[in-house]
Amino acid sequence: MTTAYTVREAARPEDREACFAVRREVFVEEQGVPQELEYDAYDTTAVHVLAVREDGLPLGTGRLLYGADALGKTGGDASVGSLGRLAVAKAARGLGVGAALVRGIEDAARERGLAAVDLHAQTHALGFYERLGYEAYGPEFPDAGIPHRSMRRAL
């Protein structure tokens, strides 16, 4: 099955709500992440990216933290953005939506003058990010009870 979709920055309030709905489906409902951990203060300042089917159905989302918001996640390097909350709706998996979202977030990082993007990958997703040019570094660590590793890609 091929599905036509676009990836764009979530500029309108209804776009942001669509992003949050996908995150709720994937992280809260599927993975059991507590809702109070899933949504945070960074949601107000982050760049949210949305993949949406041509009929308007949201397929996936991710966000970019940059500037002061990203410093705690990037080792204090202001030239590095932090990719996070990447989620693809179950019905859209295998269509390339995740890779398209990562590239959309990287484009947003470039537009803001960043030199690299860091992320905290669930360990089962390391191969996905490696195929997109990310390299793991540092030890495994738990986040919301799920094992993760830090990864980075120069832009």
Side-chain angles (χ1 to χ4, degrees):
M1 171 180 118
T2 58
T3 301
Y5 61 89
T6 56
V7 173
R8 64 174 190 257
E9 284 191 29
R12 303 184 319 253
E14 56 269 26
D15 288 342
R16 292 171 76 93
E17 285 307 312
C19 292
F20 297 152
V22 173
R23 285 170 48 185
R24 189 168 35 258
E25 174 192 330
V26 173
F27 296 125
V28 177
E29 295 168 17
E30 277 183 46
Q31 297 183 355
V33 173
Q35 195 154 307
E36 60 274 12
L37 290 181
E38 176 51 34
Y39 304 100
D40 59 27
Y42 296 124
D43 281 328
T44 59
T45 54
V47 176
H48 297 270
V49 175
L50 175 66
V52 62
R53 202 167 65 187
E54 52 192 5
D55 67 359
L57 183 75
L59 302 179
T61 188
R63 74 178 187 187
L64 172 71
L65 303 182
Y66 63 100
D69 288 349
L71 294 178
K73 297 177 181 289
T74 63
D77 187 339
S79 73
V80 180
S82 177
L83 182 159
R85 303 302 201 270
L86 188 75
V88 176
K90 193 176 247 177
R93 293 182 191 150
L95 302 176
V97 173
L101 285 164
V102 170
R103 295 303 184 223
I105 291 166
E106 290 170 351
D107 289 345
R110 278 188 204 90
E111 289 168 12
R112 286 156 179 85
L114 301 177
V117 172
D118 255 26
L119 58 87
H120 294 162
Q122 293 183 9
T123 53
H124 72 83
L126 287 171
F128 166 77
Y129 290 110
E130 286 167 345
R131 287 188 294 279
L132 295 174
Y134 287 79
E135 294 181 18
Y137 67 90
E140 187 176 293
F141 61 92
D143 187 0
I146 301 167
H148 285 69
R149 293 249 348 250
S150 295
M151 302 186 85
R152 178 172 288 185
R153 178 175 187 259
L155 297 177

mmCIF file of all heavy atoms in Angstrom, residues 15 24 27 36 43 49 59 81 93-94 114 116 123 130 132-133 138 146 149:
data_model
loop_
_atom_site.group_PDB
_atom_site.id
_atom_site.type_symbol
_atom_site.label_atom_id
_atom_site.label_comp_id
_atom_site.label_asym_id
_atom_site.label_seq_id
_atom_site.Cartn_x
_atom_site.Cartn_y
_atom_site.Cartn_z
ATOM 1 N N ASP A 15 -2.713 21.659 13.969
ATOM 2 C CA ASP A 15 -1.570 20.806 13.623
ATOM 3 C C ASP A 15 -0.918 20.269 14.898
ATOM 4 O O ASP A 15 -0.570 19.095 14.992
ATOM 5 C CB ASP A 15 -0.501 21.584 12.841
ATOM 6 C CG ASP A 15 -0.913 21.922 11.422
ATOM 7 O OD1 ASP A 15 -1.862 21.304 10.897
ATOM 8 O OD2 ASP A 15 -0.261 22.810 10.839
ATOM 9 N N ARG A 24 -0.015 10.552 21.812
ATOM 10 C CA ARG A 24 -0.859 9.858 22.793
ATOM 11 C C ARG A 24 -1.079 8.412 22.359
ATOM 12 O O ARG A 24 -0.943 7.474 23.153
ATOM 13 C CB ARG A 24 -2.192 10.605 22.953
ATOM 14 C CG ARG A 24 -3.065 10.115 24.072
ATOM 15 C CD ARG A 24 -4.237 11.057 24.380
ATOM 16 N NE ARG A 24 -4.832 11.734 23.233
ATOM 17 C CZ ARG A 24 -4.605 13.004 22.898
ATOM 18 N NH1 ARG A 24 -3.798 13.765 23.613
ATOM 19 N NH2 ARG A 24 -5.188 13.535 21.830
ATOM 20 N N PHE A 27 2.864 6.635 22.363
ATOM 21 C CA PHE A 27 3.614 6.566 23.613
ATOM 22 C C PHE A 27 2.742 6.227 24.818
ATOM 23 O O PHE A 27 3.087 5.354 25.611
ATOM 24 C CB PHE A 27 4.368 7.875 23.866
ATOM 25 C CG PHE A 27 5.423 8.153 22.832
ATOM 26 C CD1 PHE A 27 5.424 9.340 22.125
ATOM 27 C CD2 PHE A 27 6.413 7.230 22.549
ATOM 28 C CE1 PHE A 27 6.392 9.600 21.165
ATOM 29 C CE2 PHE A 27 7.383 7.477 21.588
ATOM 30 C CZ PHE A 27 7.365 8.664 20.894
ATOM 31 N N GLU A 36 1.748 12.338 32.066
ATOM 32 C CA GLU A 36 2.440 13.487 32.656
ATOM 33 C C GLU A 36 3.931 13.513 32.287
ATOM 34 O O GLU A 36 4.570 14.560 32.379
ATOM 35 C CB GLU A 36 2.259 13.540 34.176
ATOM 36 C CG GLU A 36 2.771 12.330 34.939
ATOM 37 C CD GLU A 36 1.769 11.182 35.040
ATOM 38 O OE1 GLU A 36 0.737 11.204 34.332
ATOM 39 O OE2 GLU A 36 2.021 10.260 35.830
ATOM 40 N N ASP A 43 7.066 21.438 24.940
ATOM 41 C CA ASP A 43 6.072 21.400 23.864
ATOM 42 C C ASP A 43 5.652 22.797 23.411
ATOM 43 O O ASP A 43 5.239 22.983 22.275
ATOM 44 C CB ASP A 43 4.839 20.590 24.288
ATOM 45 C CG ASP A 43 5.071 19.092 24.179
ATOM 46 O OD1 ASP A 43 5.832 18.665 23.295
ATOM 47 O OD2 ASP A 43 4.486 18.357 24.988
ATOM 48 N N VAL A 49 6.937 18.789 13.969
ATOM 49 C CA VAL A 49 6.816 18.408 12.566
ATOM 50 C C VAL A 49 5.718 17.352 12.484
ATOM 51 O O VAL A 49 5.621 16.471 13.345
ATOM 52 C CB VAL A 49 8.163 17.883 12.033
ATOM 53 C CG1 VAL A 49 8.035 17.377 10.615
ATOM 54 C CG2 VAL A 49 9.208 18.997 12.096
ATOM 55 N N LEU A 59 -0.355 11.109 10.426
ATOM 56 C CA LEU A 59 0.339 9.813 10.372
ATOM 57 C C LEU A 59 1.515 9.726 11.326
ATOM 58 O O LEU A 59 1.898 8.638 11.741
ATOM 59 C CB LEU A 59 0.835 9.544 8.949
ATOM 60 C CG LEU A 59 -0.221 9.521 7.849
ATOM 61 C CD1 LEU A 59 0.445 9.272 6.504
ATOM 62 C CD2 LEU A 59 -1.285 8.484 8.137
ATOM 63 N N GLY A 81 20.877 20.517 17.895
ATOM 64 C CA GLY A 81 19.470 20.431 18.247
ATOM 65 C C GLY A 81 19.160 19.048 18.792
ATOM 66 O O GLY A 81 19.950 18.115 18.646
ATOM 67 N N ARG A 93 2.900 2.664 9.704
ATOM 68 C CA ARG A 93 4.267 2.121 9.795
ATOM 69 C C ARG A 93 4.625 1.350 8.537
ATOM 70 O O ARG A 93 3.781 0.712 7.917
ATOM 71 C CB ARG A 93 4.398 1.259 11.046
ATOM 72 C CG ARG A 93 4.288 2.133 12.272
ATOM 73 C CD ARG A 93 4.454 1.414 13.575
ATOM 74 N NE ARG A 93 4.060 2.351 14.646
ATOM 75 C CZ ARG A 93 3.540 1.985 15.791
ATOM 76 N NH1 ARG A 93 3.356 0.710 16.061
ATOM 77 N NH2 ARG A 93 3.215 2.893 16.679
ATOM 78 N N GLY A 94 5.897 1.455 8.139
ATOM 79 C CA GLY A 94 6.372 0.768 6.945
ATOM 80 C C GLY A 94 6.190 1.566 5.672
ATOM 81 O O GLY A 94 6.490 1.071 4.586
ATOM 82 N N LEU A 114 21.662 25.124 12.931
ATOM 83 C CA LEU A 114 22.303 24.093 13.755
ATOM 84 C C LEU A 114 23.258 23.234 12.920
ATOM 85 O O LEU A 114 23.058 23.047 11.720
ATOM 86 C CB LEU A 114 21.241 23.213 14.419
ATOM 87 C CG LEU A 114 20.263 23.977 15.326
ATOM 88 C CD1 LEU A 114 19.200 23.046 15.872
ATOM 89 C CD2 LEU A 114 21.001 24.671 16.453
ATOM 90 N N ALA A 116 24.290 20.002 13.984
ATOM 91 C CA ALA A 116 24.076 18.575 14.219
ATOM 92 C C ALA A 116 22.752 18.385 14.948
ATOM 93 O O ALA A 116 22.185 19.342 15.489
ATOM 94 C CB ALA A 116 25.218 17.976 15.043
ATOM 95 N N THR A 123 16.272 1.604 22.277
ATOM 96 C CA THR A 123 17.307 0.710 21.741
ATOM 97 C C THR A 123 16.800 -0.142 20.578
ATOM 98 O O THR A 123 17.563 -0.429 19.661
ATOM 99 C CB THR A 123 17.911 -0.180 22.840
ATOM 100 O OG1 THR A 123 16.849 -0.859 23.514
ATOM 101 C CG2 THR A 123 18.697 0.644 23.844
ATOM 102 N N GLU A 130 20.474 4.504 12.598
ATOM 103 C CA GLU A 130 21.783 4.269 11.958
ATOM 104 C C GLU A 130 21.645 4.335 10.438
ATOM 105 O O GLU A 130 22.501 4.898 9.757
ATOM 106 C CB GLU A 130 22.369 2.933 12.399
ATOM 107 C CG GLU A 130 22.888 2.977 13.831
ATOM 108 C CD GLU A 130 23.199 1.600 14.415
ATOM 109 O OE1 GLU A 130 22.768 0.572 13.841
ATOM 110 O OE2 GLU A 130 23.868 1.566 15.468
ATOM 111 N N LEU A 132 19.782 6.182 8.849
ATOM 112 C CA LEU A 132 19.610 7.591 8.502
ATOM 113 C C LEU A 132 20.865 8.419 8.804
ATOM 114 O O LEU A 132 20.835 9.641 8.712
ATOM 115 C CB LEU A 132 18.399 8.170 9.244
ATOM 116 C CG LEU A 132 17.058 7.568 8.833
ATOM 117 C CD1 LEU A 132 15.933 8.092 9.725
ATOM 118 C CD2 LEU A 132 16.763 7.872 7.373
ATOM 119 N N GLY A 133 21.950 7.742 9.182
ATOM 120 C CA GLY A 133 23.219 8.428 9.385
ATOM 121 C C GLY A 133 23.557 8.807 10.810
ATOM 122 O O GLY A 133 24.554 9.494 11.052
ATOM 123 N N GLY A 138 27.870 6.735 24.065
ATOM 124 C CA GLY A 138 27.533 6.650 25.485
ATOM 125 C C GLY A 138 26.795 5.368 25.838
ATOM 126 O O GLY A 138 26.422 4.581 24.966
ATOM 127 N N ILE A 146 12.033 2.734 29.585
ATOM 128 C CA ILE A 146 12.373 2.105 28.306
ATOM 129 C C ILE A 146 13.856 2.349 28.030
ATOM 130 O O ILE A 146 14.322 3.484 28.153
ATOM 131 C CB ILE A 146 11.504 2.706 27.166
ATOM 132 C CG1 ILE A 146 10.015 2.475 27.469
ATOM 133 C CG2 ILE A 146 11.882 2.112 25.813
ATOM 134 C CD1 ILE A 146 9.070 3.283 26.582
ATOM 135 N N ARG A 149 19.550 4.921 23.952
ATOM 136 C CA ARG A 149 20.950 5.331 23.741
ATOM 137 C C ARG A 149 20.946 6.700 23.066
ATOM 138 O O ARG A 149 20.054 7.014 22.282
ATOM 139 C CB ARG A 149 21.697 4.373 22.797
ATOM 140 C CG ARG A 149 21.921 3.004 23.340
ATOM 141 C CD ARG A 149 23.297 2.525 23.700
ATOM 142 N NE ARG A 149 24.505 3.183 23.348
ATOM 143 C CZ ARG A 149 25.390 2.727 22.454
ATOM 144 N NH1 ARG A 149 25.159 1.639 21.758
ATOM 145 N NH2 ARG A 149 26.525 3.368 22.263
#
